[in-house]
């Protein structure tokens, strides 16, 4: 088995490093494929000028531009036009603000070629280097516009793979050292996870070549997910292996029994996460739809690695790998009748109804943070810290209509009725919120392209609200084939499709996860109860996150994709821990009844599931090392949700509900009609007295 995995790593490892080469970090990869703004992007490419992205160079001095400032602006324009960066058009004369405080130079960058991403970022960087030379004291100079925002985003995503992989691997290494307290054993699960992660990235490369949309965000989440889920499955299997080493002298017997007992729970958990992730494939947003199959493959590889490679390594190394805390045959350790988790279960069993009602009320209080939530996070405020594109946007909005930084494109097709473009321009000027409408290009084959400057910040909710009436006016004047696109329309379309994805995918995931739980636990009532606890935990985590984002971190809002991503991961991964617990409870319930079986199951799984939750929360929290608000929000919310599942839902709420309901939770299976034996009742009475 080890040889097979070595071959797979060699084969797919050669492609793992090339995943970044096939990432699509252009705007389309983050947009809904069928949106009007995407169709507008495609229509723009049919014009002779191709797809142009504007780099807006803003010069501003409060109190008015001085002669030296104007000379610097003219000098920059001449220097750029004499030796323009690759793909950059000649810059027309500067546009001066009415107050005389600012001027704009607008450079068009051709992004229609096969190396569009490199052309855009290289040209923008070259422009920034050039205009930042010999700046008169007191003159603010920034390069912003769509090209500036895109370049700043691409630079962040270029850091994702190396930075995130190093942070995640380092954290997992530290946590494994703390969990096993061994200078040796940590290497076994860690290298197993690394094998799975390398192969997953290689598979991701081929999925991208097959047409699946993969961007930097997907790539980063893939690494975190494989490390987190893989380490969780390793902890569960190793815990059962250590338990069996104390019961069996032969290490091979211990591995075989541990795999037979813990393997079904790992498979069930893995399948739950995989199926939930595959539901993302139904999303309209390209990046979200691409995340589904890529992440599902990653989880599948992590699961298979823990069920094949890890047992092989455990059988090879045996007890010695746990040094200095070697589990001896016949030795004492975690069992069903002793320990802190057993005592917790017994305390809950005294008054389970009071416990689950009190815990539910506490989680509902945490949900109140949802009142703080808004979706005001946009491309314009999505960076943590200062970036040049945002600083430039702020300078522009002080002296020009804020929309001058990212004009809205309107495409009137060539087959539109005669005079349609002129009528469209007149209609657009009458729409509230429009500052200016200018024709920018005409072609007999492609049609006419208009540029619309909005009064509001193009990345604000106020600007998004202008897009629907703008489209209505354009189509009424020029026909149904007139297209409205550009950065503002793209952001608005993204929000509409994200809301649709939430409505479609969330109910589907709930149904799928419920069916899987029902099949695994062979019950109907218990899966419903477990699903309810996980959804409540998700809402509480989102409430905590919203409160911290608004009141503590000072973010402008919540990314529209956060509720869906958090739901997928928290529901699927939260159900994981319930599966780990209830699979062991069901095993114990056959011999001891549901109530005593719950206490015994909690006693032996409490430590390992807690360790797994800490590892998973830690791995997702590494997303916060990247300077993007959306990744920080995803990492924080999922980390908080996992910790709630670990320490509150799985440790207190679920055991209390099961203890209160008793055998009825297994309805309609035969276990739900089991009668407690006299021996069970005596043991329950003895435990209650303790």
């Amino acid at each position: 088995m080890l040889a097979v995995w070595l071959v797979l790593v060699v084969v797919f490892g050669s492609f793992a490093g090339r995943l970044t080469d096939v990432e699509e970090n252009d705007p389309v990869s983050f947009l809904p494929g069928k949106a009007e703004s995407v169709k507008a992007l495609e229509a723009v490419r049919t014009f002779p000028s191709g797809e142009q992205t504007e780099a807006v160079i803003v010069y501003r001095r409060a109190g008015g531009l001085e002669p030296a400032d104007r000379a610097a602006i003219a000098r920059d324009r001449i220097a750029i036009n004499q030796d323009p960066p690759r793909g950059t058009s000649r810059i027309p004369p500067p546009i001066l603000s009415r107050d005389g405080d600012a001027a704009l130079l607008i450079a068009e960058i051709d992004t229609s070629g096969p190396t569009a991403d490199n052309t855009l970022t290289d040209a923008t960087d070259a422009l920034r280097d050039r205009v930042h030379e010999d700046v008169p004291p007191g003159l603010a100079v920034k390069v912003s516009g769509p090209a500036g925002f895109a370049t700043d985003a691409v630079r962040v995503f270029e850091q994702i793979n190396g930075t995130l992989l190093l942070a995640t691997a380092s954290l997992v290494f530290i946590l494994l050292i703390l969990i096993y307290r061994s200078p040796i054993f940590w290497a076994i699960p860690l290298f197993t996870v690394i094998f799975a992660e390398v192969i997953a990235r290689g598979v991701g490369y081929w999925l991208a070549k097959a047409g699946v949309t993969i961007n930097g965000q997907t790539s980063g989440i893939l690494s975190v997910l494989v490390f987190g889920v893989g380490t969780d499955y390793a902890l569960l299997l190793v815990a059962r292996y250590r338990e069996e080493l104390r019961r069996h002298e032969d290490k091979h017997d211990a591995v075989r029994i541990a795999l037979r007992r813990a393997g079904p729970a790992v498979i069930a958990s893995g399948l739950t996460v995989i199926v939930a992730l595959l539901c993302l494939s139904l999303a309209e947003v390209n990046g979200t739809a691409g995340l589904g199959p890529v992440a599902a493959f990653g989880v599948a590889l992590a699961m298979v690695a823990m069920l094949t490679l890890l047992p092989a390594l455990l059988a090879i190394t045996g007890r010695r790998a746990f040094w200095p805390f070697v589990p001896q045959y016949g030795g004492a350790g975690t069992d069903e009748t002793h320990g802190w988790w057993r005592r917790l279960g017994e305390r809950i069993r005294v008054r389970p109804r009071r416990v689950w009602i009190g815990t539910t009320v506490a989680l509902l209080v945490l949900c109140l943070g949802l009142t703080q939530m808004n979706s005001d996070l946009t491309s314009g405020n999505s960076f943590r810290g200062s970036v040049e594109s945002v600083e430039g946007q702020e300078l522009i909005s002080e002296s020009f209509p804020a929309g001058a930084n990212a004009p809205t494109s309107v495409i009137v097709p060539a087959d539109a009725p005669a005079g349609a473009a002129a009528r469209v321009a007149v209609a657009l000027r009458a729409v509230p919120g429009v500052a200016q409408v200018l024709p920018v290009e005409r072609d007999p084959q492609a049609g006419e392209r208009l540029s619309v400057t909005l009064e509001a910040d193009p990345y604000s909710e106020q600007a998004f609200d202008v897009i629907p009436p703008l489209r209505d006016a354009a189509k009424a004047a020029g026909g149904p084939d007139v297209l409205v696109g550009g950065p503002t329309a793209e952001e608005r379309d993204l929000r509409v499709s994200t809301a649709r994805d939430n409505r479609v995918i969330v109910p589907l995931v709930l149904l799928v996860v419920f069916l899987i739980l029902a099949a695994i636990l062979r019950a109907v009532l218990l899966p419903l109860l477990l699903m309810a606890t996980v959804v409540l935990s998700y809402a509480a985590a989102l409430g905590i996150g919203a409160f911290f984002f608004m009141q503590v971190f000072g973010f402008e809002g919540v990314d529209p994709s956060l509720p869906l991503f958090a739901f997928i991961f928290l529901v699927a991964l939260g159900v994981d821990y319930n599966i780990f617990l209830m699979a062991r409870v069901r095993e114990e319930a056959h011999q001891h009844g549901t109530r005593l079986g719950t206490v015994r199951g909690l006693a032996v799984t409490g430590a390992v599931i807690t360790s797994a939750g800490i590892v998973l929360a830690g791995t997702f929290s590494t997303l916060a090392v990247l300077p993007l608000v959306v990744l920080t929000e995803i990492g924080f919310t999922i980390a908080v949700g996992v910790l709630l599942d670990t320490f509150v839902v799985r440790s207190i709420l679920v055991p209390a509900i099961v203890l209160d309901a008793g055998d009825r939770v297994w309805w309609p299976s035969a276990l739900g009609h089991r009668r407690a034996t006299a021996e069970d009742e005596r043991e329950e009475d003895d435990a209650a007295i303790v």
Side-chain angles (χ1 to χ4, degrees):
M1 185 54 65
L2 179 59
V4 172
W5 278 93
L6 288 173
V7 170
L8 290 174
V9 168
V10 171
V11 171
F12 286 95
S14 60
F15 300 104
R18 297 166 62 184
L19 180 60
T20 54
D21 298 337
V22 293
E23 288 180 4
E24 301 178 29
N25 291 316
D26 60 317
V28 175
S29 71
F30 295 91
L31 293 174
K34 298 180 180 180
E36 182 172 334
S37 56
V38 174
K39 295 177 182 177
L41 278 174
E42 296 169 350
V44 166
R45 294 174 183 147
T46 64
F47 284 81
S49 63
E51 184 180 348
Q52 303 287 323
T53 303
E54 290 187 346
V56 180
I57 308 169
V58 55
Y59 301 80
R60 189 176 190 279
R61 181 189 295 274
L65 294 172
E66 299 177 353
D69 302 334
R70 296 175 186 269
I73 296 170
R75 185 173 60 248
D76 287 345
R77 176 173 173 256
I78 292 171
I80 294 170
N81 285 340
Q82 287 179 342
D83 183 22
R86 180 168 60 94
T88 304
S89 63
R90 291 181 61 83
I91 298 178
I95 302 171
L96 298 176
S97 64
R98 292 181 179 179
D99 59 11
D101 287 355
L104 303 179
L105 291 179
I106 299 179
E108 299 277 358
I109 302 173
D110 185 1
T111 54
S112 57
T115 58
D117 284 352
N118 291 336
T119 300
L120 178 66
T121 55
D122 291 347
T124 304
D125 288 341
L127 291 172
R128 284 174 171 171
D129 291 341
R130 202 161 297 180
V131 302
H132 289 161
E133 295 177 357
D134 301 325
V135 178
L139 178 66
V141 183
K142 302 292 179 183
V143 178
S144 186
F149 278 99
T151 297
D152 289 337
V154 168
R155 293 304 180 217
V156 169
F157 285 121
E158 286 177 347
Q159 305 171 22
I160 281 184
N161 293 316
T163 303
L164 201 55
L165 186 60
L166 178 61
T168 305
S170 300
L171 180 64
V172 170
F173 164 73
I174 293 171
L175 291 175
L176 288 175
I177 288 284
L178 295 174
I179 290 169
Y180 291 118
R181 295 171 294 167
S182 168
I184 303 171
F185 192 82
W186 62 268
I188 298 174
L190 180 59
F191 281 102
T192 305
V193 173
I194 290 175
F195 273 35
E197 202 273 342
V198 169
I199 297 173
R201 296 184 71 81
V203 171
Y205 170 83
W206 285 108
L207 287 174
K209 298 291 285 186
V212 176
T213 300
I214 297 180
N215 52 38
Q217 179 173 287
T218 296
S219 179
I221 291 176
L222 172 65
S223 295
V224 168
L225 194 60
V226 172
F227 266 91
V229 171
T231 305
D232 274 9
Y233 296 160
L235 290 171
L236 182 69
L237 185 62
V238 170
R240 193 60 185 255
Y241 173 59
R242 293 179 72 171
E243 190 178 335
E244 298 303 330
L245 281 175
R246 296 187 179 95
R247 297 172 178 170
H248 301 85
E249 188 171 5
D250 190 318
K251 62 182 181 181
H252 298 93
D253 290 340
V255 170
R256 185 177 63 256
I257 295 173
L259 190 58
R260 187 171 70 242
R261 296 288 177 84
V266 171
I267 293 173
S269 301
L271 289 177
T272 303
V273 179
I274 290 168
V275 173
L277 288 169
L278 287 176
C279 291
L280 290 176
S281 302
L282 301 176
E284 285 187 350
V285 179
N286 289 337
T288 304
L291 175 63
V294 174
F297 264 104
V299 172
L301 286 166
M303 178 184 70
V304 173
M306 296 311 149
L307 295 174
T308 56
L309 178 58
L310 180 60
L313 294 175
L314 294 176
I316 292 171
T317 57
R319 289 180 168 85
R320 294 169 296 177
F322 289 99
W323 183 88
F325 300 98
V326 179
Q328 300 294 339
Y329 173 58
T334 301
D335 62 19
E336 300 89 341
T337 59
H338 300 88
W340 188 90
W341 292 100
R342 171 71 189 220
R343 293 193 295 273
L344 175 63
E346 290 170 350
R347 291 192 181 97
I348 295 172
R349 189 166 63 166
V350 175
R351 293 184 178 86
R353 185 167 300 177
R354 181 180 298 179
V355 171
W356 74 255
I357 291 176
T359 305
T360 300
V361 170
L363 290 173
L364 288 172
V365 170
L366 295 177
C367 295
L368 294 176
L370 292 171
T371 59
Q372 303 285 313
M373 182 175 290
N374 66 65
S375 58
D376 291 344
L377 191 72
T378 68
S379 298
N381 53 32
S382 62
F383 296 94
R384 282 171 42 211
S386 297
V387 294
E388 186 165 342
S389 56
V390 176
E391 294 170 346
Q393 170 63 32
E394 293 171 353
L395 292 176
I396 292 170
S397 62
E398 291 177 2
S399 296
F400 293 92
N405 190 41
T408 295
S409 296
V410 178
I411 310 299
V412 181
D415 58 0
R423 292 193 299 273
V424 169
V426 171
L428 295 177
R429 292 187 183 99
V431 175
V434 172
Q436 188 179 47
V437 179
L438 295 173
V440 295
E441 190 173 8
R442 179 182 297 172
D443 180 74
Q445 304 298 322
E448 188 161 350
R449 179 182 174 190
L450 306 177
S451 177
V452 180
T453 300
L454 303 179
E455 294 175 352
D457 181 337
Y459 301 104
S460 67
E461 292 284 349
Q462 184 180 354
F464 301 155
D465 292 339
V466 178
I467 296 301
L470 206 63
R471 285 174 170 164
D472 292 341
K475 295 179 191 303
D481 294 331
V482 176
L483 299 173
V484 176
T488 305
E490 292 166 5
E491 290 268 2
R492 193 260 176 190
D493 289 343
L494 175 62
R495 279 161 167 68
V496 172
S497 290
T498 299
R500 174 265 175 197
D501 291 344
N502 290 340
R503 292 193 302 269
V504 172
I505 295 176
V506 167
L508 180 61
V509 170
L510 288 174
L511 176 62
V512 168
V513 172
F514 167 75
L515 293 176
I516 293 176
L517 280 176
I520 293 168
L521 300 174
R522 285 163 283 177
V524 172
L525 180 58
L526 181 57
L528 288 173
L529 294 173
L530 295 180
M531 292 295 295
T533 64
V534 171
V535 171
L536 178 59
S537 174
Y538 156 76
L542 208 56
I544 294 173
F547 174 81
F548 272 83
F549 301 151
M550 303 298 111
Q551 305 300 328
V552 180
F553 300 155
F555 296 158
E556 294 294 329
V558 169
D559 188 86
S561 65
L562 174 64
L564 180 58
F565 283 167
F567 180 84
I568 292 294
F569 292 122
L570 288 179
V571 169
L573 298 174
V575 166
D576 262 11
Y577 297 142
N578 284 330
I579 290 175
F580 294 162
L581 170 64
M582 295 312 300
R584 186 58 180 261
V585 169
R586 185 179 180 87
E587 181 182 331
E588 297 288 341
H590 280 288
Q591 295 182 347
H592 305 282
T594 299
R595 288 188 172 88
L596 185 55
T598 299
V599 177
R600 292 171 64 90
L602 181 62
V604 291
T605 63
V608 63
I609 295 179
T610 300
S611 299
I614 293 172
V615 169
L616 189 61
T619 54
F620 269 99
S621 68
T622 58
L623 288 172
V625 304
L626 300 168
L628 280 179
V629 173
V630 58
L631 292 180
T632 301
E633 290 180 342
I634 291 173
F636 182 89
T637 303
I638 295 175
V640 168
V642 168
L643 292 177
L644 279 178
D645 277 329
T646 302
F647 290 100
V648 179
V649 175
R650 189 268 314 159
S651 301
I652 300 173
L653 181 58
V654 169
I657 291 174
V658 175
L659 284 168
D660 189 21
D663 291 336
R664 290 173 295 176
V665 297
W666 306 109
W667 181 88
S669 68
L671 192 58
H673 305 286
R674 177 188 182 276
R675 292 179 177 274
T677 65
E679 182 180 351
D680 295 338
E681 293 172 353
R682 284 196 301 272
E683 191 170 353
E684 286 195 19
D685 291 340
D686 292 342
I689 293 173
V690 173

